[in-house]
Amino acid sequence: MSAIQVNEPKPRMIVPHSVRGGAISLVGLVIGAGIWEIVGRHTQAASFAPFSQTVSALWLMTRSGELPTALESSLELFGAGLGFAMLFGFFGGLFLARIRLLRIGLEPYILMLYATPMFALIPFILSLFGFEFRAKVIVVTLFGVWPILINTLEGARSVSNDLLEVAKSYRSTEPKLWRHVIIPYTLPYTMTGVRQAIARSLIGMLASEYLLAATGLGNLILTYTNRFDTARVLAAVLVITLLATILMAIGRAIENYFARWKAGV
Amino acid sequence: MASVPHEVAIPRTYGVSARTQRTFLRIATGVILLVLWEVLVRWLAPPFVARPVTVARALPHVLANHLPPGTPTFWGAAEATVVASAEGLAIGIVGGVLVGLTMGRLRTADRLLRFYISTFFAMPIIALVPVMTLWFGYSSTVRLYIVALGAFLPICLNVYDGTRSLPASFVEVAQSYRARWWNVWFGIALPASLPYLLAGFKLAVGRVLVGAVVAEYIVNLKGLGSYIVFDSRTFHQPEMMVAVLFLALLGVSVNAAADLATRRFLPWYRRSE
Amino acid sequence: MSTNGAAGRIQIDGVAKQFGDLRVFQDIDLAIGEREIVSIVGPSGCGKTTLLRCIDGLVQPSEGEIRIDGAKVTEPPRGVAVVFQHFGLFPWKTVYENVAYGLRLAGAPKDQIAESVARHIELVGLKGFDKAYPYQLSGGMQQRTGLARALATDPHVLLMDEPFASIDAQTREILQFELLRIWESRPMSMVFVTHSIEEAVLMGDRVVVLRGRPSSIHEVIETGLPRPRTRDVLSSPRFNEVREQVWSLLMHEAEQAERELQEVR
Ligand SMILES: Nc1ncnc2c1ncn2[C@@H]1O[C@H](COP(=O)(O)OP(=O)(O)OP(=O)(O)O)[C@@H](O)[C@H]1O
Ligand SMILES: [Mg+2]
């Protein structure tokens, strides 16, 4: 599957290189919050809430326990879905790297699933697995599994023959070959896929909360939209944004950890 | 051949070429997958669930727009989704290139904007669909914003990456020929970032399609998103599956076209290093 | 042959360059005549490239000033072209488009570009390669393209920064004599930075030896070799004499540097 190039820019955190650079970034943040505040104050309350109201809504929803409950429910869904995606993606990728016929046969279909907007498949999954947690986990997994699988496969296939030969010259057995050469070599690729899977699984999480049984943060957004309570909707969006940023940062840290030997290559 | 007696014999493959073998293998795998789908659904699922046979049966009248009155037509829905996605991609490319180049070339712009761009890139944009209905009403404006954002963010970040990794030596060469800033931006930084732009475009296609379909479902706009949900709620799953297949093929073929364009128009890419 | 002092086309007066705390060179006084080739040699890191960039106006000297045809250099002047060690070809442009680059930026009319590009591609011996991309060319051919690009702008000053350093020895010799041939047909002022003592002596009317830390002009040697220069020059007694002279100047420095290093230890 060398034709696939799963290339996604790495999201960056703001790391100020200098005091001045940091100050400019800070100014950017203040301007953003200011614009939000001003726009919010000059539009109808039903359509846009200023920054300050959103923050106080966030505080109220946290205190009432509403937000923590929703967050927990969403995270549970996200975690389970991503967990299965990692499991199936990693082992599926290794498996396909090993079995040539299956790999060649399945390649176009995997690519197709990767390119399909998974949202479209949700009604089908609903009819097979229902509305509840199980179905939603399947949706999240379906969103997340493909980049992991494709990247793992590509990694496992790109182990250089030189390395394999070295291992064989040391009389490495097959299981040890996997443990000491192929898997360590593949993991950085897998983790690149995991980082992409995090973003996609978040979309899957929201999509399944919108379309299947409404729970978690998706439910908060839908409910408060129907009540025209923009401050609470924006508070929920803010939490999702924060969650996404944190998860991406974790994903990137893990990716860098597994790719640390690559710096010198 | 007789005139070159010492020529090493080329090993001959008897029968079919490797390419044909591969194609055959893929078709065979596809058939097996379809049979599995058919058998499993017949065996385990309720009768309204789509199977390859029912989908095939539905295909002609869906494509011919022969549907019961009151149901959305397939081609009308497909056109709405495709046109909106194309608009979003166009806006995303223009905006992404301009903002990405600016951030890549101007430190201050980078520092002011990077936080917002990377944050919005990381978050699921579909979180904004419901609240956008409050801002813009239940109109196609929501979809336009969603697809434009979905295209803009990955393209902008990719162009930014490409511009940032532009070797300083190229800029110096350009300057030695008296290049002005716009020559450097659009004559050097932009072409050097084209491979990044194409990678961003491929990501953007995926995001745009998801965004369009979700917006169509929530805002209830004419399009494949609402078509799919309507058909599934009225137990017309085979009809729905035609739309799913259409979306899958659309995603695949746009990606393939992007790859083809890379090979055709950027022959230097990946070989210059 | 060589012209000195007042008649200089390039006039360098008391130039020094400093990057932060690093003083690269100082007290550079040099005048280069209208049809003169001046070679510059010196140890790695002594600032040869930096000096060339100052002459082209890509960076500003910290002290002193540089004039070309009487005008102070503050930005890359018209009629001055640089050939880079790294070739500096744009990988996304064909040979034709690379050679046309300078003319396009100068806003030359289309037919003039077409005529000049074709002529210069032929001049450097690349006829038939117009549509090739840089990755399809050998190092020697890439630098021929770089040379054609510089010559196509019809410069009267050519700045060469180790143009043949990353080219294999045989090709380098061919290119040296081709450059000399081209120069004979359209003499211009040339500053030729090189690491190779032979090349410096072969090309130059004068050889400038930079030395010290910060470096400055240690010695200027008139080669006094006849033009046009052919392969016979390489075996002439005068060539050997000058080569030995430059060599001993540079070796003295190298040995001294080594001794200093040892004393530090
Ligand atoms: N833009 C810059 N900022 C800071 N230091 C620089 C810069 N450009 C060059 N230097 C430093 O100035 C010194 C001279 O560099 P320069 O490239 O001119 O040397 P050189 O004589 O061309 O070396 P070489 O023979 O290896 O090409 C080096 O120590 C280099 O690190
Ligand atoms: Mg140098």
Side-chain angles (χ1 to χ4, degrees):
Chain A
M1 282 209 187
S2 54
I4 308 166
Q5 194 198 331
V6 186
N7 195 345
E8 199 161 335
K10 298 190 180 183
R12 266 158 287 263
M13 303 292 293
I14 31 166
V15 187
H17 294 293
S18 63
V19 177
R20 192 167 153 266
I24 294 175
S25 304
L26 202 67
V27 168
L29 291 183
V30 172
I31 291 175
I35 291 176
W36 185 353
E37 184 72 30
I38 291 165
V39 172
R41 279 169 191 258
H42 290 265
T43 44
Q44 285 178 317
S47 62
F48 204 96
F51 180 60
S52 52
Q53 274 180 33
T54 306
V55 172
S56 73
L58 191 67
W59 170 239
L60 290 176
M61 288 162 83
T62 310
R63 240 192 14 194
S64 71
E66 181 179 25
L67 195 59
T69 316
L71 187 62
E72 196 190 322
S73 148
S74 282
L75 274 179
E76 210 177 314
L77 172 59
F78 171 83
L82 185 65
F84 281 117
M86 282 160 67
L87 207 67
F88 290 125
F90 181 64
F91 288 105
L94 287 183
F95 186 69
L96 286 185
R98 196 78 193 115
I99 300 180
R100 192 171 156 272
L101 282 185
L102 212 54
R103 181 179 69 243
I104 296 173
L106 285 175
E107 184 181 328
Y109 308 106
I110 291 175
L111 278 182
M112 202 160 130
L113 282 167
Y114 180 56
T116 306
M118 276 302 153
F119 184 84
L121 269 178
I122 294 181
F124 183 65
I125 290 161
L126 185 153
S127 66
L128 292 176
F129 302 101
F131 274 99
E132 295 307 320
F133 190 69
R134 186 179 57 157
K136 291 199 273 184
V137 171
I138 292 173
V139 170
V140 176
T141 303
L142 277 177
F143 268 82
V145 70
W146 309 112
I148 304 179
L149 187 126
I150 290 170
N151 277 291
T152 303
L153 178 54
E154 195 183 324
R157 299 244 301 137
S158 63
V159 183
S160 79
N161 269 326
D162 293 351
L163 289 182
L164 294 180
E165 241 163 46
V166 171
K168 280 184 189 139
S169 80
Y170 280 100
R171 308 170 54 79
S172 167
T173 57
E174 183 77 16
K176 281 193 176 145
L177 187 70
W178 282 82
R179 209 183 116 201
H180 292 289
V181 182
I182 298 179
I183 290 180
Y185 189 90
T186 306
L187 275 175
Y189 289 83
T190 306
M191 292 306 154
T192 302
V194 168
R195 188 169 50 73
Q196 293 164 24
I198 290 175
R200 289 171 63 108
S201 298
L202 276 173
I203 299 174
M205 175 190 94
L206 272 182
S208 68
E209 286 172 349
Y210 284 167
L211 204 61
L212 302 178
T215 55
L217 295 167
N219 177 42
L220 281 189
I221 291 179
L222 289 180
T223 311
Y224 286 115
T225 300
N226 289 337
R227 292 191 207 159
F228 301 103
D229 190 342
T230 326
R232 285 175 195 238
V233 180
L234 288 181
V237 172
L238 201 62
V239 170
I240 290 175
T241 308
L242 226 69
L243 182 67
T245 309
I246 293 169
L247 286 171
M248 287 299 243
I250 294 174
R252 205 162 52 105
I254 295 174
E255 187 185 359
N256 287 341
Y257 175 80
F258 280 102
R260 63 200 185 283
W261 55 268
K262 277 194 156 181
V265 177
Chain B
M1 280 304 233
S3 61
V4 199
H6 297 297
E7 181 97 273
V8 180
I10 299 161
R12 286 185 57 181
T13 46
Y14 291 95
V16 288
S17 71
R19 204 191 161 89
T20 324
Q21 276 181 8
R22 209 173 49 185
T23 311
F24 177 76
L25 187 58
R26 286 179 174 169
I27 292 172
T29 313
V31 171
I32 293 173
L33 289 176
L34 287 180
V35 169
L36 273 178
W37 176 4
E38 179 76 32
V39 170
L40 286 179
V41 168
R42 253 180 214 244
W43 180 30
L44 297 170
F48 66 86
V49 174
R51 296 177 268 123
V53 171
T54 56
V55 175
R57 226 179 274 147
L59 196 61
H61 67 254
V62 171
L63 295 186
N65 273 344
H66 284 316
L67 291 166
T71 49
T73 65
F74 172 73
W75 286 114
E79 189 195 332
T81 303
V82 170
V83 168
S85 302
E87 278 173 5
L89 279 170
I91 297 171
I93 289 172
V94 173
V97 164
L98 289 178
V99 178
L101 275 179
T102 310
M103 282 169 64
R105 296 296 307 166
L106 297 181
R107 278 283 271 288
T108 307
D110 180 7
R111 283 169 174 155
L112 283 176
L113 296 178
R114 189 170 47 194
F115 172 81
Y116 294 104
I117 302 285
S118 58
T119 304
F120 274 103
F121 177 79
M123 81 173 279
I125 291 296
I126 61 168
L128 292 174
V129 176
V131 70
M132 277 187 177
T133 62
L134 295 182
W135 299 343
F136 309 114
Y138 282 78
S139 71
S140 59
T141 316
V142 174
R143 179 175 56 190
L144 188 63
Y145 272 95
I146 292 294
V147 289
L149 266 178
F152 169 76
L153 293 165
I155 290 175
C156 175
L157 268 184
N158 265 292
V159 171
Y160 168 72
D161 264 354
T163 312
R164 285 289 300 257
S165 55
L166 177 72
S169 62
F170 288 165
V171 179
E172 189 169 76
V173 172
Q175 281 169 348
S176 84
Y177 286 98
R178 306 169 56 82
R180 300 297 172 217
W181 67 265
W182 59 88
N183 298 125
V184 175
W185 282 35
F186 298 101
I188 306 295
L190 182 57
S193 308
L194 275 184
Y196 290 80
L197 176 60
L198 266 156
F201 175 81
K202 288 168 72 174
L203 271 179
V205 171
R207 289 181 162 221
V208 160
L209 286 180
V210 172
V213 171
V214 173
E216 283 158 4
Y217 156 67
I218 290 181
V219 186
N220 198 12
L221 296 168
K222 183 170 141 188
L224 288 176
S226 52
Y227 173 93
I228 285 171
V229 173
F230 181 89
D231 276 355
S232 82
R233 290 200 175 141
T234 52
F235 297 98
H236 286 105
Q237 256 206 24
E239 285 79 358
M240 177 199 87
M241 268 298 168
V242 176
V244 176
L245 287 177
F246 176 82
L247 281 171
L249 285 179
L250 191 66
V252 170
S253 42
V254 174
N255 267 340
D259 285 336
L260 202 71
T262 312
R263 271 195 300 268
R264 172 81 181 69
F265 297 111
L266 310 176
W268 50 273
Y269 174 53
R270 289 238 175 258
R271 280 179 271 196
S272 49
E273 283 111 62
Chain C
M1 261 296 211
S2 65
T3 13
N4 265 321
R9 162 157 264 165
I10 308 174
Q11 193 73 40
I12 304 172
D13 285 321
V15 160
K17 180 68 193 176
Q18 188 138 359
F19 289 115
D21 289 337
L22 175 71
R23 200 168 171 79
V24 183
F25 51 72
Q26 59 189 16
D27 302 329
I28 307 281
D29 293 301
L30 192 63
I32 296 157
E34 201 163 319
R35 310 166 137 237
E36 194 186 15
I37 303 181
V38 170
S39 302
I40 299 183
V41 293
S44 209
C46 74
K48 303 182 293 295
T49 299
T50 305
L51 180 58
L52 220 56
R53 294 169 75 214
C54 286
I55 298 175
D56 195 38
L58 287 165
V59 292
Q60 295 304 312
S62 314
E63 291 163 24
E65 64 173 31
I66 297 172
R67 290 175 175 276
I68 292 182
D69 292 331
K72 191 174 173 197
V73 176
T74 52
E75 56 166 18
R78 255 181 233 292
V80 180
V82 191
V83 176
F84 297 88
Q85 177 180 352
H86 53 72
F87 312 152
L89 299 182
F90 300 121
W92 57 88
K93 286 183 190 290
T94 57
V95 167
Y96 184 95
E97 283 303 322
N98 265 296
V99 175
Y101 185 69
L103 291 169
R104 285 208 199 288
L105 281 194
K110 261 205 165 103
D111 45 345
Q112 190 197 327
I113 293 177
E115 183 276 325
S116 174
V117 171
R119 186 157 49 86
H120 284 95
I121 286 179
E122 186 164 1
L123 182 69
V124 299
L126 279 178
K127 207 172 174 197
F129 286 93
D130 313 45
K131 293 198 175 63
Y133 284 94
Y135 77 89
Q136 294 167 316
L137 303 178
S138 67
M141 289 159 88
Q142 292 188 22
Q143 195 56 301
R144 285 169 191 266
T145 311
L147 189 59
R149 174 172 66 184
L151 292 173
T153 58
D154 201 18
H156 50 261
V157 173
L158 198 53
L159 306 174
M160 310 281 266
D161 187 10
E162 307 191 35
F164 308 139
S166 39
I167 291 172
D168 69 276
Q170 282 159 15
T171 313
R172 184 187 315 151
E173 206 177 299
I174 294 170
L175 285 175
Q176 285 164 354
F177 284 102
E178 262 183 53
L179 178 63
L180 284 169
R181 171 182 64 82
I182 291 168
W183 183 83
E184 289 295 341
S185 67
R186 47 194 288 189
M188 50 203 147
S189 310
M190 198 188 298
V191 182
F192 198 105
V193 166
T194 174
H195 256 124
S196 153
I197 296 169
E198 277 85 3
E199 190 171 72
V201 178
L202 173 65
M203 305 301 299
D205 296 303
R206 286 182 290 160
V207 178
V208 173
V209 180
L210 294 180
R211 250 174 72 170
R213 227 155 246 284
S215 64
S216 54
I217 295 182
H218 178 65
E219 186 100 47
V220 180
I221 300 158
E222 300 265 352
T223 57
L225 293 164
R227 289 197 189 272
R229 291 187 186 168
T230 55
R231 284 192 55 82
D232 296 339
V233 167
L234 294 175
S235 50
S236 72
R238 176 63 190 162
F239 179 85
N240 276 311
E241 192 184 321
V242 180
R243 192 185 62 183
E244 288 308 306
Q245 197 183 345
V246 177
W247 189 87
S248 62
L249 286 169
L250 284 173
M251 281 310 117
H252 181 71
E253 161 114 352
E255 279 168 13
Q256 203 170 350
E258 208 156 300
R259 218 171 299 135
E260 273 169 22
L261 258 182
Q262 233 134 49
E263 275 164 25
V264 172
R265 280 181 199 151

